[in-house]
PDB file of all heavy atoms in Angstrom:
ATOM      1  N   ASP A   9       0.457  -6.762   0.125  1.00  0.00           N
ATOM      2  CA  ASP A   9       1.199  -8.028   0.059  1.00  0.00           C
ATOM      3  C   ASP A   9       0.662  -9.059   1.039  1.00  0.00           C
ATOM      4  O   ASP A   9       0.629 -10.250   0.726  1.00  0.00           O
ATOM      5  CB  ASP A   9       2.684  -7.762   0.326  1.00  0.00           C
ATOM      6  CG  ASP A   9       3.307  -6.924  -0.771  1.00  0.00           C
ATOM      7  OD1 ASP A   9       3.731  -7.500  -1.783  1.00  0.00           O
ATOM      8  OD2 ASP A   9       3.330  -5.681  -0.633  1.00  0.00           O
ATOM      9  N   LEU A  10       0.259  -8.607   2.232  1.00  0.00           N
ATOM     10  CA  LEU A  10      -0.267  -9.543   3.233  1.00  0.00           C
ATOM     11  C   LEU A  10      -1.386  -8.878   4.014  1.00  0.00           C
ATOM     12  O   LEU A  10      -1.187  -7.832   4.636  1.00  0.00           O
ATOM     13  CB  LEU A  10       0.836  -9.999   4.196  1.00  0.00           C
ATOM     14  CG  LEU A  10       0.412 -11.037   5.244  1.00  0.00           C
ATOM     15  CD1 LEU A  10       0.028 -12.357   4.574  1.00  0.00           C
ATOM     16  CD2 LEU A  10       1.526 -11.279   6.264  1.00  0.00           C
ATOM     17  N   MET A  11      -2.553  -9.484   3.981  1.00  0.00           N
ATOM     18  CA  MET A  11      -3.713  -9.057   4.762  1.00  0.00           C
ATOM     19  C   MET A  11      -3.859 -10.007   5.942  1.00  0.00           C
ATOM     20  O   MET A  11      -3.863 -11.228   5.757  1.00  0.00           O
ATOM     21  CB  MET A  11      -4.965  -9.112   3.883  1.00  0.00           C
ATOM     22  CG  MET A  11      -6.280  -8.874   4.607  1.00  0.00           C
ATOM     23  SD  MET A  11      -6.544  -7.150   4.969  1.00  0.00           S
ATOM     24  CE  MET A  11      -6.691  -6.496   3.308  1.00  0.00           C
ATOM     25  N   VAL A  12      -3.977  -9.467   7.156  1.00  0.00           N
ATOM     26  CA  VAL A  12      -4.072 -10.295   8.352  1.00  0.00           C
ATOM     27  C   VAL A  12      -5.250  -9.833   9.195  1.00  0.00           C
ATOM     28  O   VAL A  12      -5.404  -8.634   9.466  1.00  0.00           O
ATOM     29  CB  VAL A  12      -2.787 -10.206   9.206  1.00  0.00           C
ATOM     30  CG1 VAL A  12      -2.891 -11.128  10.419  1.00  0.00           C
ATOM     31  CG2 VAL A  12      -1.566 -10.558   8.384  1.00  0.00           C
ATOM     32  N   GLY A  13      -6.088 -10.773   9.627  1.00  0.00           N
ATOM     33  CA  GLY A  13      -7.192 -10.417  10.497  1.00  0.00           C
ATOM     34  C   GLY A  13      -7.618 -11.588  11.355  1.00  0.00           C
ATOM     35  O   GLY A  13      -7.628 -12.729  10.898  1.00  0.00           O
ATOM     36  N   ALA A  14      -7.969 -11.300  12.607  1.00  0.00           N
ATOM     37  CA  ALA A  14      -8.476 -12.318  13.526  1.00  0.00           C
ATOM     38  C   ALA A  14      -9.833 -11.883  14.058  1.00  0.00           C
ATOM     39  O   ALA A  14     -10.100 -10.687  14.224  1.00  0.00           O
ATOM     40  CB  ALA A  14      -7.511 -12.519  14.694  1.00  0.00           C
ATOM     41  N   SER A  15     -10.717 -12.848  14.299  1.00  0.00           N
ATOM     42  CA  SER A  15     -12.040 -12.577  14.835  1.00  0.00           C
ATOM     43  C   SER A  15     -12.804 -11.667  13.870  1.00  0.00           C
ATOM     44  O   SER A  15     -12.864 -11.945  12.672  1.00  0.00           O
ATOM     45  CB  SER A  15     -11.920 -11.981  16.240  1.00  0.00           C
ATOM     46  OG  SER A  15     -13.152 -12.032  16.914  1.00  0.00           O
ATOM     47  N   ILE A  16     -13.368 -10.537  14.322  1.00  0.00           N
ATOM     48  CA  ILE A  16     -14.045  -9.636  13.386  1.00  0.00           C
ATOM     49  C   ILE A  16     -13.031  -9.009  12.426  1.00  0.00           C
ATOM     50  O   ILE A  16     -13.387  -8.599  11.324  1.00  0.00           O
ATOM     51  CB  ILE A  16     -14.863  -8.544  14.127  1.00  0.00           C
ATOM     52  CG1 ILE A  16     -15.795  -7.813  13.141  1.00  0.00           C
ATOM     53  CG2 ILE A  16     -13.963  -7.574  14.849  1.00  0.00           C
ATOM     54  CD1 ILE A  16     -16.732  -6.803  13.789  1.00  0.00           C
ATOM     55  N   GLY A  17     -11.760  -8.985  12.821  1.00  0.00           N
ATOM     56  CA  GLY A  17     -10.714  -8.583  11.879  1.00  0.00           C
ATOM     57  C   GLY A  17     -10.624  -9.567  10.726  1.00  0.00           C
ATOM     58  O   GLY A  17     -10.372  -9.198   9.583  1.00  0.00           O
ATOM     59  N   GLY A  18     -10.861 -10.836  11.023  1.00  0.00           N
ATOM     60  CA  GLY A  18     -10.903 -11.851   9.977  1.00  0.00           C
ATOM     61  C   GLY A  18     -12.122 -11.692   9.087  1.00  0.00           C
ATOM     62  O   GLY A  18     -12.061 -11.950   7.880  1.00  0.00           O
ATOM     63  N   PHE A  19     -13.251 -11.285   9.685  1.00  0.00           N
ATOM     64  CA  PHE A  19     -14.438 -10.993   8.883  1.00  0.00           C
ATOM     65  C   PHE A  19     -14.089  -9.925   7.831  1.00  0.00           C
ATOM     66  O   PHE A  19     -14.447 -10.037   6.660  1.00  0.00           O
ATOM     67  CB  PHE A  19     -15.579 -10.450   9.752  1.00  0.00           C
ATOM     68  CG  PHE A  19     -16.211 -11.436  10.701  1.00  0.00           C
ATOM     69  CD1 PHE A  19     -15.748 -12.729  10.829  1.00  0.00           C
ATOM     70  CD2 PHE A  19     -17.286 -11.053  11.483  1.00  0.00           C
ATOM     71  CE1 PHE A  19     -16.346 -13.632  11.714  1.00  0.00           C
ATOM     72  CE2 PHE A  19     -17.908 -11.937  12.358  1.00  0.00           C
ATOM     73  CZ  PHE A  19     -17.430 -13.234  12.480  1.00  0.00           C
ATOM     74  N   GLN A  20     -13.407  -8.867   8.300  1.00  0.00           N
ATOM     75  CA  GLN A  20     -13.019  -7.790   7.392  1.00  0.00           C
ATOM     76  C   GLN A  20     -12.056  -8.294   6.311  1.00  0.00           C
ATOM     77  O   GLN A  20     -12.194  -7.958   5.131  1.00  0.00           O
ATOM     78  CB  GLN A  20     -12.340  -6.665   8.178  1.00  0.00           C
ATOM     79  CG  GLN A  20     -13.205  -5.980   9.211  1.00  0.00           C
ATOM     80  CD  GLN A  20     -12.376  -5.103  10.111  1.00  0.00           C
ATOM     81  OE1 GLN A  20     -11.758  -4.129   9.677  1.00  0.00           O
ATOM     82  NE2 GLN A  20     -12.337  -5.428  11.401  1.00  0.00           N
ATOM     83  N   ALA A  21     -11.070  -9.080   6.742  1.00  0.00           N
ATOM     84  CA  ALA A  21     -10.034  -9.547   5.816  1.00  0.00           C
ATOM     85  C   ALA A  21     -10.628 -10.387   4.693  1.00  0.00           C
ATOM     86  O   ALA A  21     -10.300 -10.203   3.511  1.00  0.00           O
ATOM     87  CB  ALA A  21      -8.966 -10.340   6.575  1.00  0.00           C
ATOM     88  N   VAL A  22     -11.529 -11.317   5.031  1.00  0.00           N
ATOM     89  CA  VAL A  22     -12.084 -12.177   3.982  1.00  0.00           C
ATOM     90  C   VAL A  22     -13.048 -11.393   3.098  1.00  0.00           C
ATOM     91  O   VAL A  22     -13.112 -11.611   1.878  1.00  0.00           O
ATOM     92  CB  VAL A  22     -12.738 -13.442   4.590  1.00  0.00           C
ATOM     93  CG1 VAL A  22     -14.032 -13.136   5.334  1.00  0.00           C
ATOM     94  CG2 VAL A  22     -12.985 -14.485   3.499  1.00  0.00           C
ATOM     95  N   GLU A  23     -13.793 -10.447   3.673  1.00  0.00           N
ATOM     96  CA  GLU A  23     -14.670  -9.587   2.862  1.00  0.00           C
ATOM     97  C   GLU A  23     -13.830  -8.792   1.858  1.00  0.00           C
ATOM     98  O   GLU A  23     -14.199  -8.668   0.689  1.00  0.00           O
ATOM     99  CB  GLU A  23     -15.451  -8.624   3.753  1.00  0.00           C
ATOM    100  CG  GLU A  23     -16.817  -9.112   4.162  1.00  0.00           C
ATOM    101  CD  GLU A  23     -17.824  -9.139   3.029  1.00  0.00           C
ATOM    102  OE1 GLU A  23     -17.546  -8.609   1.931  1.00  0.00           O
ATOM    103  OE2 GLU A  23     -18.902  -9.704   3.234  1.00  0.00           O
ATOM    104  N   TRP A  24     -12.729  -8.233   2.334  1.00  0.00           N
ATOM    105  CA  TRP A  24     -11.893  -7.416   1.462  1.00  0.00           C
ATOM    106  C   TRP A  24     -11.299  -8.252   0.330  1.00  0.00           C
ATOM    107  O   TRP A  24     -11.189  -7.803  -0.811  1.00  0.00           O
ATOM    108  CB  TRP A  24     -10.790  -6.751   2.284  1.00  0.00           C
ATOM    109  CG  TRP A  24     -10.160  -5.561   1.629  1.00  0.00           C
ATOM    110  CD1 TRP A  24     -10.233  -5.191   0.317  1.00  0.00           C
ATOM    111  CD2 TRP A  24      -9.373  -4.559   2.272  1.00  0.00           C
ATOM    112  NE1 TRP A  24      -9.525  -4.030   0.095  1.00  0.00           N
ATOM    113  CE2 TRP A  24      -8.990  -3.618   1.281  1.00  0.00           C
ATOM    114  CE3 TRP A  24      -8.942  -4.370   3.574  1.00  0.00           C
ATOM    115  CZ2 TRP A  24      -8.190  -2.513   1.561  1.00  0.00           C
ATOM    116  CZ3 TRP A  24      -8.152  -3.259   3.864  1.00  0.00           C
ATOM    117  CH2 TRP A  24      -7.789  -2.340   2.862  1.00  0.00           C
ATOM    118  N   CYS A  25     -10.928  -9.497   0.647  1.00  0.00           N
ATOM    119  CA  CYS A  25     -10.371 -10.383  -0.387  1.00  0.00           C
ATOM    120  C   CYS A  25     -11.392 -10.699  -1.470  1.00  0.00           C
ATOM    121  O   CYS A  25     -11.019 -11.062  -2.593  1.00  0.00           O
ATOM    122  CB  CYS A  25      -9.861 -11.677   0.248  1.00  0.00           C
ATOM    123  SG  CYS A  25      -8.307 -11.487   1.148  1.00  0.00           S
ATOM    124  N   VAL A  26     -12.684 -10.580  -1.157  1.00  0.00           N
ATOM    125  CA  VAL A  26     -13.736 -10.765  -2.150  1.00  0.00           C
ATOM    126  C   VAL A  26     -14.053  -9.448  -2.855  1.00  0.00           C
ATOM    127  O   VAL A  26     -14.289  -9.419  -4.066  1.00  0.00           O
ATOM    128  CB  VAL A  26     -15.010 -11.350  -1.487  1.00  0.00           C
ATOM    129  CG1 VAL A  26     -16.192 -11.346  -2.460  1.00  0.00           C
ATOM    130  CG2 VAL A  26     -14.750 -12.768  -0.993  1.00  0.00           C
ATOM    131  N   MET A  27     -14.027  -8.352  -2.107  1.00  0.00           N
ATOM    132  CA  MET A  27     -14.374  -7.046  -2.682  1.00  0.00           C
ATOM    133  C   MET A  27     -13.299  -6.513  -3.628  1.00  0.00           C
ATOM    134  O   MET A  27     -13.607  -5.883  -4.641  1.00  0.00           O
ATOM    135  CB  MET A  27     -14.643  -6.040  -1.559  1.00  0.00           C
ATOM    136  CG  MET A  27     -15.919  -6.332  -0.785  1.00  0.00           C
ATOM    137  SD  MET A  27     -16.102  -5.348   0.731  1.00  0.00           S
ATOM    138  CE  MET A  27     -16.482  -3.736   0.054  1.00  0.00           C
ATOM    139  N   GLU A  28     -12.026  -6.756  -3.313  1.00  0.00           N
ATOM    140  CA  GLU A  28     -10.916  -6.313  -4.160  1.00  0.00           C
ATOM    141  C   GLU A  28      -9.910  -7.450  -4.337  1.00  0.00           C
ATOM    142  O   GLU A  28      -8.759  -7.358  -3.896  1.00  0.00           O
ATOM    143  CB  GLU A  28     -10.218  -5.086  -3.553  1.00  0.00           C
ATOM    144  CG  GLU A  28     -11.062  -3.827  -3.538  1.00  0.00           C
ATOM    145  CD  GLU A  28     -10.226  -2.575  -3.270  1.00  0.00           C
ATOM    146  OE1 GLU A  28      -9.346  -2.620  -2.373  1.00  0.00           O
ATOM    147  OE2 GLU A  28     -10.442  -1.563  -3.947  1.00  0.00           O
ATOM    148  N   PRO A  29     -10.315  -8.538  -4.955  1.00  0.00           N
ATOM    149  CA  PRO A  29      -9.458  -9.736  -5.012  1.00  0.00           C
ATOM    150  C   PRO A  29      -8.124  -9.513  -5.706  1.00  0.00           C
ATOM    151  O   PRO A  29      -7.115 -10.142  -5.338  1.00  0.00           O
ATOM    152  CB  PRO A  29     -10.320 -10.750  -5.775  1.00  0.00           C
ATOM    153  CG  PRO A  29     -11.312  -9.930  -6.535  1.00  0.00           C
ATOM    154  CD  PRO A  29     -11.586  -8.743  -5.670  1.00  0.00           C
ATOM    155  N   GLU A  30      -8.090  -8.620  -6.667  1.00  0.00           N
ATOM    156  CA  GLU A  30      -6.872  -8.418  -7.452  1.00  0.00           C
ATOM    157  C   GLU A  30      -5.806  -7.627  -6.708  1.00  0.00           C
ATOM    158  O   GLU A  30      -4.647  -7.582  -7.138  1.00  0.00           O
ATOM    159  CB  GLU A  30      -7.214  -7.713  -8.779  1.00  0.00           C
ATOM    160  CG  GLU A  30      -7.568  -6.230  -8.659  1.00  0.00           C
ATOM    161  CD  GLU A  30      -8.938  -5.939  -8.057  1.00  0.00           C
ATOM    162  OE1 GLU A  30      -9.727  -6.892  -7.862  1.00  0.00           O
ATOM    163  OE2 GLU A  30      -9.218  -4.756  -7.773  1.00  0.00           O
ATOM    164  N   ARG A  31      -6.162  -7.033  -5.572  1.00  0.00           N
ATOM    165  CA  ARG A  31      -5.219  -6.154  -4.868  1.00  0.00           C
ATOM    166  C   ARG A  31      -4.457  -6.850  -3.734  1.00  0.00           C
ATOM    167  O   ARG A  31      -3.575  -6.253  -3.127  1.00  0.00           O
ATOM    168  CB  ARG A  31      -5.949  -4.937  -4.302  1.00  0.00           C
ATOM    169  CG  ARG A  31      -6.533  -4.029  -5.379  1.00  0.00           C
ATOM    170  CD  ARG A  31      -6.899  -2.677  -4.831  1.00  0.00           C
ATOM    171  NE  ARG A  31      -7.533  -1.853  -5.855  1.00  0.00           N
ATOM    172  CZ  ARG A  31      -6.870  -1.096  -6.725  1.00  0.00           C
ATOM    173  NH1 ARG A  31      -5.546  -1.083  -6.698  1.00  0.00           N
ATOM    174  NH2 ARG A  31      -7.526  -0.369  -7.614  1.00  0.00           N
ATOM    175  N   ILE A  32      -4.812  -8.079  -3.416  1.00  0.00           N
ATOM    176  CA  ILE A  32      -4.245  -8.745  -2.236  1.00  0.00           C
ATOM    177  C   ILE A  32      -3.531 -10.028  -2.653  1.00  0.00           C
ATOM    178  O   ILE A  32      -4.138 -10.928  -3.244  1.00  0.00           O
ATOM    179  CB  ILE A  32      -5.356  -9.047  -1.215  1.00  0.00           C
ATOM    180  CG1 ILE A  32      -6.061  -7.742  -0.807  1.00  0.00           C
ATOM    181  CG2 ILE A  32      -4.782  -9.755   0.009  1.00  0.00           C
ATOM    182  CD1 ILE A  32      -7.384  -7.946  -0.124  1.00  0.00           C
ATOM    183  N   SER A  33      -2.236 -10.111  -2.337  1.00  0.00           N
ATOM    184  CA  SER A  33      -1.450 -11.293  -2.719  1.00  0.00           C
ATOM    185  C   SER A  33      -1.642 -12.457  -1.756  1.00  0.00           C
ATOM    186  O   SER A  33      -1.845 -13.596  -2.176  1.00  0.00           O
ATOM    187  CB  SER A  33       0.045 -10.937  -2.780  1.00  0.00           C
ATOM    188  OG  SER A  33       0.310 -10.075  -3.841  1.00  0.00           O
ATOM    189  N   ARG A  34      -1.523 -12.164  -0.470  1.00  0.00           N
ATOM    190  CA  ARG A  34      -1.631 -13.212   0.545  1.00  0.00           C
ATOM    191  C   ARG A  34      -2.549 -12.749   1.664  1.00  0.00           C
ATOM    192  O   ARG A  34      -2.610 -11.562   1.977  1.00  0.00           O
ATOM    193  CB  ARG A  34      -0.255 -13.562   1.133  1.00  0.00           C
ATOM    194  CG  ARG A  34       0.656 -14.311   0.176  1.00  0.00           C
ATOM    195  CD  ARG A  34       1.963 -14.694   0.868  1.00  0.00           C
ATOM    196  NE  ARG A  34       2.758 -15.576   0.035  1.00  0.00           N
ATOM    197  CZ  ARG A  34       3.582 -15.165  -0.922  1.00  0.00           C
ATOM    198  NH1 ARG A  34       3.711 -13.859  -1.164  1.00  0.00           N
ATOM    199  NH2 ARG A  34       4.266 -16.023  -1.636  1.00  0.00           N
ATOM    200  N   ALA A  35      -3.243 -13.701   2.268  1.00  0.00           N
ATOM    201  CA  ALA A  35      -4.142 -13.375   3.372  1.00  0.00           C
ATOM    202  C   ALA A  35      -4.026 -14.431   4.453  1.00  0.00           C
ATOM    203  O   ALA A  35      -3.865 -15.623   4.159  1.00  0.00           O
ATOM    204  CB  ALA A  35      -5.578 -13.276   2.878  1.00  0.00           C
ATOM    205  N   VAL A  36      -4.093 -13.971   5.695  1.00  0.00           N
ATOM    206  CA  VAL A  36      -4.092 -14.878   6.842  1.00  0.00           C
ATOM    207  C   VAL A  36      -5.360 -14.604   7.641  1.00  0.00           C
ATOM    208  O   VAL A  36      -5.566 -13.502   8.145  1.00  0.00           O
ATOM    209  CB  VAL A  36      -2.855 -14.675   7.731  1.00  0.00           C
ATOM    210  CG1 VAL A  36      -2.918 -15.608   8.939  1.00  0.00           C
ATOM    211  CG2 VAL A  36      -1.579 -14.924   6.937  1.00  0.00           C
ATOM    212  N   PHE A  37      -6.215 -15.613   7.725  1.00  0.00           N
ATOM    213  CA  PHE A  37      -7.471 -15.511   8.462  1.00  0.00           C
ATOM    214  C   PHE A  37      -7.321 -16.315   9.753  1.00  0.00           C
ATOM    215  O   PHE A  37      -7.136 -17.533   9.710  1.00  0.00           O
ATOM    216  CB  PHE A  37      -8.628 -16.058   7.628  1.00  0.00           C
ATOM    217  CG  PHE A  37      -8.692 -15.516   6.216  1.00  0.00           C
ATOM    218  CD1 PHE A  37      -8.635 -16.379   5.119  1.00  0.00           C
ATOM    219  CD2 PHE A  37      -8.796 -14.159   5.986  1.00  0.00           C
ATOM    220  CE1 PHE A  37      -8.710 -15.892   3.822  1.00  0.00           C
ATOM    221  CE2 PHE A  37      -8.865 -13.653   4.691  1.00  0.00           C
ATOM    222  CZ  PHE A  37      -8.817 -14.510   3.609  1.00  0.00           C
ATOM    223  N   ILE A  38      -7.428 -15.644  10.888  1.00  0.00           N
ATOM    224  CA  ILE A  38      -7.174 -16.284  12.184  1.00  0.00           C
ATOM    225  C   ILE A  38      -8.448 -16.295  13.018  1.00  0.00           C
ATOM    226  O   ILE A  38      -9.085 -15.249  13.222  1.00  0.00           O
ATOM    227  CB  ILE A  38      -6.072 -15.534  12.964  1.00  0.00           C
ATOM    228  CG1 ILE A  38      -4.824 -15.340  12.105  1.00  0.00           C
ATOM    229  CG2 ILE A  38      -5.729 -16.281  14.250  1.00  0.00           C
ATOM    230  CD1 ILE A  38      -3.808 -14.374  12.716  1.00  0.00           C
ATOM    231  N   ALA A  39      -8.833 -17.482  13.517  1.00  0.00           N
ATOM    232  CA  ALA A  39      -9.961 -17.603  14.452  1.00  0.00           C
ATOM    233  C   ALA A  39     -11.165 -16.805  13.968  1.00  0.00           C
ATOM    234  O   ALA A  39     -11.625 -15.870  14.627  1.00  0.00           O
ATOM    235  CB  ALA A  39      -9.536 -17.143  15.847  1.00  0.00           C
ATOM    236  N   THR A  40     -11.691 -17.162  12.812  1.00  0.00           N
ATOM    237  CA  THR A  40     -12.739 -16.373  12.187  1.00  0.00           C
ATOM    238  C   THR A  40     -13.646 -17.271  11.344  1.00  0.00           C
ATOM    239  O   THR A  40     -13.569 -18.498  11.436  1.00  0.00           O
ATOM    240  CB  THR A  40     -12.103 -15.220  11.369  1.00  0.00           C
ATOM    241  OG1 THR A  40     -13.107 -14.310  10.987  1.00  0.00           O
ATOM    242  CG2 THR A  40     -11.339 -15.747  10.170  1.00  0.00           C
TER     243      THR A  40
END
């Protein structure tokens, strides 16, 4: 429902939103 990542955590979060776009409803990318 919500993916959250900051810094390299944000790198992971945005990569995941591209790798499995259909599985993630909302994402918060912080300082990334």
Side-chain angles (χ1 to χ4, degrees):
D9 294 275
L10 183 65
M11 172 77 65
V12 182
S15 195
I16 192 175
F19 291 3
Q20 297 168 63
V22 71
E23 266 289 350
W24 199 344
C25 285
V26 171
M27 291 169 73
E28 292 195 317
E30 73 287 351
R31 295 196 184 274
I32 302 164
S33 291
R34 289 184 172 84
V36 178
F37 311 121
I38 308 169
T40 192

